[in-house]
Amino acid sequence: MGQQGMGVPQLVVIAPDSYRGHRIELTGKYMTVGREPACDVRLDDPHVSRTHAALQRRGDSVYVQDLGSSGGTFVNGNPVEGTKLQQGGPSANNPARDIDAEAMAGMAARLNRMMAETVTFRDRSAVARFFDGLEFVEPGLVQASKWRPASESEAASPAALWGGVARKP
């Protein structure tokens, strides 16, 4: 864990390579890490659970806690249960990735800005490729406005957003 500026702790990402070196300022007292858009720190990686871990500041200390992730969260190879991170010390990771205890918050802000700035438009066939190897279940892959429309007029106006439900065969 590093300190920069006005004493705000940071985490530095070590893996995956696409995030390596990103710094995340731990500006909040409690920050969630995961793939979900609602997470404070979004890591778009298949080895990260939707809501993977939590980072909690208590005074000058930062603690990491696994939130029931499928792969687990580890510090120096040991499963975490409210583990205190040390400045310049251990790295928090799951078996498929390492996230050093130095940067998780700065990266959150940066990644969220990057994600907001970088929009990739995909048509139905491009979105369908995300479901390769899966079996669609009702309603399948549909425009979001037709999923559960609030009104008939909403269902009649096409949305440029696709949603799908599928399962492993």
Side-chain angles (χ1 to χ4, degrees):
M1 191 166 57
Q3 298 272 352
Q4 187 172 358
M6 306 277 308
V8 176
Q10 297 183 344
L11 294 178
V12 177
V13 176
I14 294 175
D17 288 338
S18 60
Y19 294 114
R20 182 179 294 275
H22 280 70
R23 294 180 175 274
I24 302 168
E25 289 185 355
L26 297 172
T27 55
K29 292 214 179 268
Y30 183 87
M31 298 174 70
T32 55
V33 180
R35 291 189 335 255
E36 283 288 318
C39 288
D40 302 299
V41 179
R42 286 196 63 219
L43 298 175
D44 188 17
D45 185 278
H47 298 105
V48 176
S49 294
R50 288 181 183 101
T51 306
H52 194 97
L55 300 164
Q56 184 175 21
R57 288 180 62 187
R58 295 183 209 153
D60 292 334
S61 300
V62 177
Y63 293 79
V64 62
Q65 174 186 1
D66 187 76
L67 296 176
S69 67
S70 57
T73 302
F74 298 79
V75 172
N76 287 350
N78 299 311
V80 299
E81 290 183 26
T83 301
K84 181 178 177 181
L85 301 177
Q86 303 295 323
Q87 182 173 345
S91 61
N93 58 66
N94 78 23
R97 71 188 301 104
D98 286 334
I99 304 171
D100 185 295
E102 203 180 46
M104 220 136 175
M107 185 180 134
R110 237 180 265 132
L111 283 176
N112 286 333
R113 277 193 304 272
M114 286 173 20
M115 291 174 156
E117 294 169 3
T118 306
V119 177
T120 303
F121 294 97
R122 294 182 172 93
D123 61 13
R124 186 182 192 289
S125 63
V127 173
R129 287 194 293 273
F130 287 105
F131 293 90
D132 284 351
L134 300 175
E135 180 179 292
F136 281 112
V137 295
E138 199 60 40
L141 181 59
V142 298
Q143 289 178 324
S145 59
K146 294 180 181 172
W147 191 294
R148 297 180 88 186
S151 66
E152 286 185 34
S153 63
E154 186 178 292
S157 56
L161 180 66
W162 293 95
V165 177
R167 65 176 179 208
K168 292 181 181 179

